[in-house]
Amino acid sequence: MARRPKLAVWKFASCDGCQLSLLDCEDELLAVAGAVEIANFPEASSAVVEGPYDLSLVEGSITTPHDAQRIQAVRAQSKFLVTIGACATAGGIQALRNFADVKDFIAAVYASPQFIDTLATSTAISAHIPVDYELHGCPINKAQLVEVISAFLAGRKPAVAAHSVCIECKQRGNVCVMVQGTPCLGPVTHAGCGAICPAYRRGCYGCYGPMETPNMPALTREWCELGADGRDIQRVLRSFNAWAEPFRQESEAHDD
Amino acid sequence: MTTKTIKVDYLARVEGEGALDLHIEGGQVTTANLRIFEPPRFYEAFLQGRSHGELPDIVARICGICPVAYQMSSVQAVENAFGVRVDGQLRALRRLLYCGEWIESHALHVVMLHAPDFLGYPDAIRMAEKHGDAVRKGLALKKAGNAILRLLGGREIHPVNVRPGGFYKVPSKAELAPLAEELKQARDLAEDLVHWVATFDFPDLERDYEFVAMRHPDEYPITEGRLVSNRNIDIDIAEYENEFEERHVAHSTALHSLLKRRGAYLVGPLARYALNYDRLPASMQSLAAEAGLGPVCNNPFRSIVVRALETAYACEEALRLIAAYEMPDAPCVPLEPREGEGFGCTEAPRGICWHRYEFEADGTIRTARIVPPTSQNQPSIEEDLAAVAAPIADAPDDVIRHLCEQAIRNYDPCISCSAHFLKLSVHRS
């Protein structure tokens, strides 16, 4: 039998939800564990097999000087590296510091700021190293994660759609919430979640980040017609993918 | 005297990044520091200026394992500040959603992360080679908890359906019914789990904890109650800051919580169980007795049994809630923002999750303070480590290291919540 590819899972600043998605594959986990060697996955195992690794999954964003160095070492021992989730692909919600002075943030939370060693920004993994594939979402969709691993094993491109959440709404048979008067980020947001929010009768809040080439000004004009003001638009764009370029630029267009 | 260092570069099977320093002098443990250097994410800072309506979506991201706990404490605080009470079936649905989180989180920890310690495996995957049935049952149980989250919340991690005042959309009775079938099987799986973990060998350790948990007049506490302890604390959640304080210590990016007058205390399954044994249904008290548990358990290594028992309870409670469910007229109670302060506290799988917010007149957040369970347990974890290591201070490093790691995992520590990465170094002099 051929050697099973070695899988590693790495964590940077994050909530652990994306790597938990792997453990949430209750029906597929033992099959995945049969197809790859889980060589380095500290959240799930105390056994560590040394690198290099065939496939690395990276969760989290870079927020400390130590992590900025650590990600270089991860890249050096990974043949194929996939970033998973909004923190790793866009900096996460902790990138809200990028719009402020991090010293004020530290002072708001910690009594002894001198103990805290942090960077002024939270940035995507791709800002630091070359990344082979990015899987979006806050959190990622576990079926897409299984697809990415399967595609890697088969040596093909993952079948992950790049269109907007709008298409998923049509596929799911959702009635458009926007035509009912609810502001929605679906038209500019990357597909992958399955259009959950509109199915629960609320507007999409963009947790899968911007789709490719979104028309941001057209959407925010529509929001204004539905009664949203600049602050509402800025708030919704500044969440889990705030530092993703199209969301960042459009949110800055609504500065007072 | 010799100086020696034991190091574990990454404590595994916990959610987060931290480290442990043990100092042993002349056979005595002088300090046991749990160092947490999970990178800070500054939630309490960037929440300032956000809208109350965004709160449950944002605070969910503090933790991928227990997002519902953060959502529930935060919406409770909003409702408290705006003078609204969510009752009846909306309250029941929240409790049901929370039962789903208890089941998935407890099953994950008991079977996938903690059981391998007792059976001598590095992880559940390798454990499955000999104990495949137990692992498959654990995964099925976890899946049942996640089924509740998916139906009521839209997805397992970071559910989208929770809002201040209730939900965006509530299920019909018919939509909820299929869950009951899965949960009946899950309840049986959970009972098997209790019996299975009760057969493990537990190190002898009895600790004199101050237990802190919520207490409700009728229910085993999940979504609300007063804060009580076994040393006469009995306060409204708004009085939390009178009794407890947070300290920023150099070795942790998670603030340490302490009782102002007495220091360390313990939250989570052992505390809930000891303070609310009388709120468990007779079926669960019998199950506890079958598993060798009295009304109080002071052995932190036995927390795995209590956690399994709470999983069985959550399945049973979920079934009760589903059976009594009638679809409410509206998915949510209307809210009128007003200036003021609000408090929220609920029982996360790992213990009380306390929130306080000040709001401006339009519902914008002025200040936020969030106290997660793991930061409250840090001082207790350190005391446990000293107690665990003291009698075996002369044992080989490997023995100390293994038992200390296990002692930390007794807490199911969620370091992402508090701040992730556990490195163990023992200094001997």
Side-chain angles (χ1 to χ4, degrees):
Chain A
M1 187 178 137
R3 179 181 73 84
R4 287 179 299 162
K6 284 161 74 176
L7 173 75
V9 183
W10 308 93
K11 179 193 149 75
F12 292 84
S14 67
C15 79
D16 281 58
C18 289
Q19 52 178 315
L20 179 67
S21 298
L22 192 55
L23 299 176
D24 268 356
C25 297
E26 289 103 357
D27 294 331
E28 302 89 359
L29 184 63
L30 293 176
V32 170
V36 298
E37 178 185 7
I38 297 181
N40 189 345
F41 186 5
E43 181 155 323
S45 177
S46 49
V48 176
V49 181
E50 297 228 328
Y53 304 101
D54 298 289
L55 174 62
S56 275
L57 302 175
V58 179
E59 172 191 277
S61 69
I62 303 300
T63 62
T64 66
H66 175 253
D67 280 354
Q69 288 180 350
R70 190 161 62 97
I71 190 62
Q72 300 293 337
V74 169
R75 176 71 267 189
Q77 41 184 331
S78 306
K79 290 182 188 157
F80 196 81
L81 186 147
V82 177
T83 52
I84 56 171
C87 296
T89 58
I93 186 139
Q94 55 274 18
L96 291 176
R97 77 181 68 179
N98 304 6
F99 299 94
D101 185 338
V102 76
K103 290 197 207 79
D104 296 339
F105 273 30
I106 297 171
V109 180
Y110 294 102
S112 308
Q114 69 276 15
F115 297 158
I116 300 297
D117 188 20
T118 191
L119 294 170
T121 55
S122 168
T123 42
I125 300 299
S126 62
H128 300 263
I129 55 161
V131 167
D132 299 302
Y133 190 79
E134 293 189 318
L135 187 61
H136 296 271
C138 181
I140 56 168
N141 175 328
K142 65 181 184 181
Q144 290 193 331
L145 179 62
V146 172
E147 164 60 15
V148 167
I149 295 171
S150 307
F152 168 78
L153 291 171
R156 61 172 170 82
K157 190 169 181 282
V160 172
H163 51 238
S164 75
V165 170
C166 285
I167 309 291
E168 294 193 312
C169 260
K170 305 296 172 285
Q171 287 168 337
R172 192 165 177 155
N174 288 339
V175 177
C176 179
V177 295
M178 203 96 165
V179 302
Q180 300 173 84
T182 302
C184 179
L185 283 186
V188 296
T189 298
H190 199 292
C193 66
I196 304 170
C197 286
Y200 281 75
R201 297 186 192 146
R202 63 178 294 193
C204 164
Y205 60 89
C207 69
Y208 273 59
M211 64 179 292
E212 286 176 28
T213 61
N215 189 337
M216 298 302 301
L219 182 75
T220 53
R221 269 200 305 281
E222 199 66 32
W223 272 57
C224 292
E225 279 177 28
L226 291 172
D229 61 21
R231 188 172 69 158
D232 298 330
I233 290 168
Q234 199 162 64
R235 276 175 172 167
V236 75
L237 293 175
R238 289 192 182 173
S239 66
F240 318 105
N241 293 277
W243 206 242
E245 192 62 17
F247 282 9
R248 182 180 71 76
Q249 271 186 11
E250 186 65 19
S251 79
E252 284 171 348
H254 296 269
D255 278 332
D256 295 335
Chain B
M1 289 204 283
T2 54
T3 298
K4 196 154 73 158
T5 299
I6 305 174
K7 246 175 119 169
V8 177
D9 282 337
Y10 209 119
L11 186 82
R13 283 181 278 129
V14 299
E15 294 98 23
E17 294 181 307
L20 171 72
D21 287 344
L22 277 187
H23 293 269
I24 300 173
E25 284 177 32
Q28 300 285 315
V29 179
T30 54
T31 26
N33 279 352
L34 175 67
R35 285 199 288 124
I36 289 184
F37 45 91
E38 172 88 10
R41 289 182 289 155
F42 307 113
Y43 274 83
E44 287 145 312
F46 62 65
L47 280 168
Q48 295 173 11
R50 304 299 297 221
S51 161
H52 67 280
E54 301 176 288
L55 197 47
D57 296 328
I58 295 176
V59 296
R61 270 69 180 185
I62 292 172
C63 179
I65 294 105
C66 56
V68 171
Y70 288 89
Q71 294 189 322
M72 291 295 157
S73 292
S74 72
V75 293
Q76 194 186 89
V78 174
E79 291 151 10
N80 176 243
F82 299 167
V84 169
R85 204 176 144 72
V86 173
D87 259 323
Q89 290 296 340
L90 290 176
R91 179 182 187 278
L93 281 176
R94 285 184 168 176
R95 189 168 170 87
L96 178 59
L97 180 67
Y98 221 138
C99 284
E101 179 157 289
W102 274 30
I103 296 166
E104 67 80 19
S105 175
H106 277 359
L108 171 72
H109 187 257
V110 169
V111 182
M112 306 300 288
L113 309 181
H114 206 192
D117 274 337
F118 294 93
L119 299 173
Y121 295 93
D123 55 58
I125 306 287
R126 278 129 179 135
M127 190 173 77
E129 288 161 15
K130 278 265 175 63
H131 302 271
D133 198 40
V135 173
R136 276 188 292 275
K137 282 169 149 182
L139 287 168
L141 187 53
K142 184 167 163 311
K143 190 177 172 186
N146 274 335
I148 300 177
L149 291 167
R150 196 162 49 249
L151 183 86
L152 288 184
R155 62 184 169 198
E156 298 89 334
I157 301 168
H158 307 329
V160 304
N161 194 23
V162 174
R163 68 191 295 186
F167 295 88
Y168 289 91
K169 182 186 171 205
V170 289
S172 67
K173 203 170 166 59
E175 283 171 319
L176 213 49
L179 272 184
E181 289 313 306
E182 192 166 353
L183 282 163
K184 279 180 196 152
Q185 292 173 18
R187 183 181 54 191
D188 294 344
L189 293 172
E191 285 187 14
D192 289 354
L193 184 65
V194 172
H195 290 127
W196 182 58
V197 297
T199 64
F200 294 171
D201 281 331
F202 301 101
D204 285 324
L205 180 69
E206 294 286 318
R207 292 262 287 111
D208 184 22
Y209 294 114
E210 178 153 1
F211 293 125
V212 174
M214 308 198 71
R215 183 147 169 98
H216 184 273
D218 315 309
E219 302 165 336
Y220 196 74
I222 303 179
T223 47
E224 65 177 331
R226 289 173 67 78
L227 278 173
V228 301
S229 89
N230 52 334
R231 308 235 163 98
N232 297 321
I233 290 178
D234 182 356
I235 56 170
D236 188 275
I237 61 166
E239 298 169 278
Y240 175 88
E241 286 167 311
N242 298 339
E243 296 283 342
F244 301 88
E245 64 181 342
E246 285 184 311
R247 285 189 206 146
H248 187 190
V249 297
H251 64 269
S252 176
T253 51
L255 302 171
H256 274 211
S257 292
L258 294 157
L259 278 156
K260 284 182 180 170
R261 283 174 293 194
R262 292 185 294 276
Y265 61 102
L266 183 136
V267 302
L270 286 182
R272 276 194 297 263
Y273 177 79
L275 295 167
N276 294 282
Y277 177 80
D278 59 341
R279 296 285 183 266
L280 283 170
S283 57
M284 289 298 131
Q285 293 180 347
S286 309
L287 186 59
E290 288 168 30
L293 290 173
V296 175
C297 173
N298 284 301
N299 181 343
F301 291 96
R302 280 188 188 271
S303 61
I304 190 170
V305 185
V306 178
R307 214 170 263 117
L309 183 79
E310 284 196 338
T311 314
Y313 170 73
C315 293
E316 189 156 306
E317 179 67 358
L319 282 166
R320 186 187 71 76
L321 293 164
I322 293 169
Y325 181 67
E326 296 294 337
M327 189 177 178
D329 295 334
C332 140
V333 177
L335 293 178
E336 276 299 324
R338 65 185 192 198
E339 189 173 1
E341 188 178 36
F343 300 88
C345 189
T346 62
E347 285 281 358
R350 293 157 190 79
I352 55 168
C353 180
W354 185 88
H355 296 213
R356 172 173 61 72
Y357 304 94
E358 287 176 285
F359 297 97
E360 293 169 16
D362 68 351
T364 296
I365 297 162
R366 190 181 292 145
T367 62
R369 187 164 170 232
I370 297 171
V371 183
T374 295
S375 70
Q376 300 179 75
N377 276 338
Q378 279 181 104
S380 255
I381 294 175
E382 293 182 345
E383 292 187 0
D384 276 14
L385 289 167
V388 163
I392 54 167
D394 296 324
D397 290 0
D398 273 357
V399 173
I400 300 177
R401 178 191 296 126
H402 180 75
L403 203 61
C404 283
E405 285 188 58
Q406 195 175 345
I408 292 169
R409 281 193 284 268
N410 285 335
Y411 284 81
D412 186 9
C414 195
I415 300 173
S416 306
C417 284
S418 47
H420 212 107
F421 184 63
L422 285 163
K423 195 193 290 182
L424 169 67
S425 39
V426 177
H427 308 280
R428 295 176 196 259
S429 60

